[in-house]
Amino acid sequence: MMHVEAVDREGLRRRVKDPFYQNTTSILAMENDQVLGRIEYHFYGCMQDGYRMAYVDWVYVLPEARHKGVAQGLFQEMEKDCRKHGINQYYLIRATNPNADKFYHSFENVEIDEESFLRKELKE
């Protein structure tokens, strides 16, 4: 399960004001003042050819809210924002489990790669 036990409220406040995070957007799915899910993404582009992309950093729906259209709604809202900003395509590193695979295969006009991604931690 991808969650935290406690929210670092002060850290969140600092990051919201930090220009480094200005291209990051977080959309919450809410019901009765409870967060059911979240998608977080950012835009980036290639200076050489002007190609505009988005990268999904995070998508999560609470287990009790799954299979109820929450994730689809989050992606629909993100895609609206992408179209508004002239984004050509988006990427994400997908989870590899049967439920996630079924969800990703439900997308229209999607290409699902089986390739691995390289990740290197730069922190000491």
Side-chain angles (χ1 to χ4, degrees):
M1 185 175 204
M2 299 172 79
H3 71 282
V4 293
E5 295 298 323
V7 174
D8 175 10
R9 293 179 189 275
E10 192 55 40
L12 279 172
R13 285 186 186 98
R14 279 193 311 273
R15 286 186 292 279
V16 165
K17 294 176 185 175
D18 186 334
F20 180 79
Y21 298 98
Q22 285 181 352
N23 290 334
T24 300
T25 301
S26 189
I27 299 173
L28 301 177
M30 306 278 299
E31 183 176 79
N32 299 325
D33 293 326
Q34 180 186 1
V35 175
L36 301 179
R38 181 184 99 183
I39 191 167
E40 188 171 288
Y41 56 95
H42 66 272
F43 298 148
Y44 65 101
C46 178
M47 289 291 223
Q48 179 178 340
D49 62 8
Y51 200 75
R52 294 170 167 235
M53 297 157 274
Y55 180 79
V56 178
D57 302 305
W58 180 270
V59 61
Y60 185 77
V61 175
L62 293 173
E64 60 271 19
R66 292 179 186 164
H67 309 290
K68 296 178 181 175
V70 174
Q72 288 93 342
L74 289 168
F75 272 92
Q76 287 169 358
E77 289 302 313
M78 183 206 61
E79 288 179 9
K80 277 192 231 175
D81 192 31
C82 287
R83 286 185 188 94
K84 177 178 147 188
H85 288 91
I87 300 300
N88 301 98
Q89 65 181 306
Y90 64 86
Y91 300 87
L92 63 86
I93 296 175
R94 61 186 178 85
T96 53
N97 63 63
N99 284 332
D101 284 342
K102 183 178 176 185
F103 173 68
Y104 295 129
H105 283 284
S106 73
F107 284 44
E108 290 183 18
N109 300 320
V110 70
E111 191 176 306
I112 299 175
D113 293 330
E114 298 299 325
E115 297 176 14
S116 299
F117 286 87
L118 178 108
R119 177 177 155 173
K120 179 178 180 181
E121 294 283 336
L122 296 176
K123 293 182 193 176
E124 291 182 16

